[in-house]
Amino acid sequence: EVQLKESGGGLVQAGGSLRLSCAASGFTSDDYFIGWFRQAPGKEREEVSCISNNPGSDGSPIYADSVKDRFTISMDNGKNTVYLQINSLKPSDTAVYYCAAGGIPPRGLPCYDFDYWGQGTQVTVSS
């Protein structure tokens, strides 16, 4: 069973940076992807970024337009860990950040059908 564990959230001042981590285990597929979502109070969940374990050739990583200038996703395949570097934090970035994952089907594309979810990590940005 795939398990995901987020870490790295916290309280930061606007303009600061954070690096979130998502440690993954239990993948049985050779090709898989891990993404980050966030959900702010009273708002719908938003996908912010996603990367596969073979980025570049498959169109990943991808970013939401609202974050692409400040967020950077990366994967350490050896550690099965995905990082989300967030710079120039804004109060509007305040949310619970979740990582989610899925396997890439044969001849398929990454970052669809997220089957596994972590518990989330809170990011709070003060003004």
Side-chain angles (χ1 to χ4, degrees), residues 6 9 11-13 19 33 35 37 45 59-61 73 85 90 93-95 101 106 112 116 122 125:
E6 303 96 335
L11 173 63
V12 294
Q13 289 188 332
R19 189 177 77 159
F33 55 89
F37 292 74
R45 188 173 61 198
S60 77
I73 193 170
Q85 178 70 38
K90 305 175 182 179
D93 294 320
T94 295
Y112 291 91
Y116 309 100
Q122 176 71 47
V125 184

Side-chain angles (χ1 to χ4, degrees), residues 3 20 50:
Q3 295 187 333
L20 305 182
C50 179

Side-chain angles (χ1 to χ4, degrees), residues 9 18 21 23 33-34 44 51 59 63 79 84 86 91 103 110 121 127:
L18 276 178
S21 300
F33 55 89
I34 298 176
E44 293 187 355
I51 190 169
Y63 297 93
K79 296 181 179 180
L84 186 68
I86 309 174
T121 185
S127 57

Side-chain angles (χ1 to χ4, degrees), residues 34-103:
I34 298 176
W36 285 96
F37 292 74
R38 66 183 181 183
Q39 188 164 23
K43 294 189 176 182
E44 293 187 355
R45 188 173 61 198
E46 173 190 24
E47 181 179 355
V48 295
S49 188
C50 179
I51 190 169
S52 78
N53 64 330
N54 290 294
S57 61
D58 59 7
S60 77
I62 62 172
Y63 297 93
D65 288 341
S66 59
V67 305
K68 62 183 179 181
D69 294 331
R70 299 184 296 117
F71 288 26
T72 303
I73 193 170
S74 61
M75 180 182 287
D76 183 333
N77 287 345
K79 296 181 179 180
N80 277 354
T81 299
V82 169
Y83 304 98
L84 186 68
Q85 178 70 38
I86 309 174
N87 297 326
S88 303
L89 278 155
K90 305 175 182 179
S92 57
D93 294 320
T94 295
V96 178
Y97 285 70
Y98 300 90
C99 66

